[in-house]
Amino acid sequence: MPQGFFGKYHSIILYGLSLGALLVLMKWLEWRFIIIDYAFEIYAGLIALLFTGLGIWLALKLAQPKTITIEKQVLVANTEFVFDENCLNQLGMSRRELEVLQLMADGLSNQQIAEKLFVSLNTIKTHSSKVFEKLEVQRRTQAVEKAKRLSLIP
Amino acid sequence: MPQGFFGKYHSIILYGLSLGALLVLMKWLEWRFIIIDYAFEIYAGLIALLFTGLGIWLALKLAQPKTITIEKQVLVANTEFVFDENCLNQLGMSRRELEVLQLMADGLSNQQIAEKLFVSLNTIKTHSSKVFEKLEVQRRTQAVEKAKRLSLIP
DNA sequence: ACCAAAATCACCCTAAAGTATGAGGGCTTT
DNA sequence: AAAGCCCTCATACTTTAGGGTGATTTTGGT
């Protein structure tokens, strides 16, 4: 702010300085040639100047800065994955179905998923079918692709 | 410049005019009614108050708002995809095989890939088998997953 | 022009995936 | 208590995927 301050408010500062210079000049003239009749006006001017400056200073100091949020797009290789539960509910997907979907995305076969979850192959088939329905896809590769797009899985 | 001058510095001009007007007013008041001992102090206080307010107003009007720029990082899905040709050659993957792999990643069935590439289903099967060999996987879901990890496909 | 790699296709077979339907038990909501 | 959802499992069937082998044609490079 130090150098920016003069840059931004140089008009006001110059105004102040010139007014001050003018007053000094007038005072000098007054002293030189004129009787001090206008002392009051001069003082008033000085006070006005001073407190104008004070007001400006106050305003600049106390003004709460406006925050401008600039969204900077950053390409991140692998972002922290935030699970979109809203989307999950919206699709009506159950926990178990999501679990199966995740394992599907890991490239496991239905048989492997069944073993991993200690259920039968048929159960996994049922789950995967429902997942395909809810994701409106026909194949597991499509399901995985779509689930990733919807942030259901990393 | 004439109207531009006023446009740029009208605040300053108004300030000057109002200062002058105030002085005249006070002088007039002084003449008219009051001879008080502490007239000067009162006037000075009024002036200080008034011009402090004026300064504040000026600062708020003229100063471009103090801004705090917050750069919010927006995570953008890896738009720029840099294809790793080295890896491709290292694996001994051919163009056509990569093409099949890409379509596989889009969730297409072998039949759909065959239609899209104007070749027979058996050809696609041959290609996909070779892809699986070279990627050392057993299923297409695994192939897609690994290919993405290796930056062979977006 | 030749060789190697790539691309194409076919056939057969098995495994896996996917569809459809039904059914029973557990849980929550109404 | 009934309704509804979820999870489970089964059976039967169709489709797709994948492995293996072999063959022909294109293509790219020395």
Side-chain angles (χ1 to χ4, degrees):
Chain A
M1 177 71 57
Q3 91 279 18
F5 181 83
F6 182 77
K8 284 179 179 174
Y9 310 115
H10 69 281
S11 298
I12 295 173
I13 292 172
L14 286 178
Y15 166 76
L17 289 177
S18 59
L19 179 54
L22 187 64
L23 287 175
V24 168
L25 177 65
M26 288 168 69
K27 187 75 177 174
W28 179 76
L29 285 173
E30 187 180 14
W31 273 344
R32 226 38 195 110
F33 303 105
I34 311 170
I35 308 131
I36 312 177
D37 249 359
Y38 299 100
F40 173 76
E41 282 81 353
I42 291 170
Y43 286 138
L46 284 175
I47 289 171
L49 196 69
L50 210 76
F51 281 86
T52 299
L54 178 68
I56 291 174
W57 179 81
L58 267 178
L60 292 181
K61 277 296 171 190
L62 297 181
Q64 52 226 47
K66 293 178 180 174
T67 59
I68 293 180
T69 301
I70 294 178
E71 294 197 345
K72 184 182 181 183
Q73 295 198 339
V74 177
L75 297 177
V76 176
N78 202 3
T79 68
E80 313 290 325
F81 165 68
V82 280
F83 172 62
D84 189 351
E85 183 134 13
N86 274 14
C87 191
L88 187 84
N89 295 333
Q90 185 189 334
L91 290 172
M93 189 108 64
S94 72
R95 309 258 152 197
R96 201 58 160 174
E97 284 159 0
L98 179 65
E99 211 173 351
V100 171
L101 179 56
Q102 289 168 335
L103 293 175
M104 248 170 33
D106 291 340
L108 299 191
S109 68
N110 286 340
Q111 183 61 55
Q112 289 173 315
I113 297 174
E115 287 166 7
K116 194 154 202 164
L117 298 183
F118 303 105
V119 294
S120 88
L121 172 60
N122 288 311
T123 303
I124 300 305
K125 282 188 178 185
T126 305
H127 285 319
S128 57
S129 282
K130 296 213 167 196
V131 167
F132 299 154
E133 270 180 39
K134 288 169 183 175
L135 287 179
E136 296 174 301
V137 296
Q138 285 75 44
R139 271 169 294 288
R140 50 175 53 218
T141 46
Q142 290 178 336
V144 170
E145 198 259 344
K146 188 155 188 175
K148 288 190 177 180
R149 265 198 295 115
L150 297 178
S151 289
L152 295 177
I153 54 178
Chain B
M1 175 70 62
Q3 94 277 20
F5 179 82
F6 182 76
K8 281 180 181 171
Y9 305 112
H10 71 282
S11 298
I12 294 172
I13 293 171
L14 286 177
Y15 171 77
L17 289 177
S18 60
L19 176 56
L22 187 68
L23 288 175
V24 168
L25 176 65
M26 291 170 71
K27 190 70 180 174
W28 178 75
L29 285 172
E30 186 180 13
W31 275 345
R32 204 72 178 87
F33 302 107
I34 312 169
I35 301 176
I36 306 175
D37 275 352
Y38 298 102
F40 176 74
E41 280 80 355
I42 292 173
Y43 286 143
L46 284 175
I47 289 172
L49 213 71
L50 212 75
F51 280 84
T52 298
L54 180 66
I56 290 174
W57 178 81
L58 263 180
L60 292 181
K61 277 295 173 189
L62 294 182
Q64 40 241 86
K66 200 190 286 184
T67 61
I68 291 181
T69 301
I70 298 175
E71 288 197 351
K72 182 184 178 185
Q73 289 197 344
V74 175
L75 301 177
V76 173
N78 257 341
T79 41
E80 313 293 324
F81 164 69
V82 279
F83 171 63
D84 190 350
E85 183 134 13
N86 275 12
C87 190
L88 187 85
N89 295 332
Q90 186 190 334
L91 291 171
M93 187 108 63
S94 72
R95 309 261 151 193
R96 200 58 159 173
E97 284 160 1
L98 178 66
E99 210 173 352
V100 172
L101 180 56
Q102 288 168 335
L103 293 175
M104 248 169 34
D106 291 339
L108 299 191
S109 68
N110 287 340
Q111 183 62 55
Q112 289 172 316
I113 296 174
E115 285 166 9
K116 195 155 200 162
L117 299 182
F118 302 105
V119 294
S120 88
L121 172 60
N122 288 311
T123 304
I124 301 303
K125 283 188 176 183
T126 306
H127 285 320
S128 58
S129 283
K130 296 212 167 196
V131 167
F132 298 155
E133 271 180 37
K134 289 169 183 175
L135 287 179
E136 296 173 300
V137 296
Q138 285 74 44
R139 269 170 296 287
R140 51 175 53 219
T141 46
Q142 291 178 335
V144 169
E145 199 257 344
K146 188 155 188 177
K148 286 191 178 181
R149 267 198 293 116
L150 297 179
S151 287
L152 294 178
I153 54 179

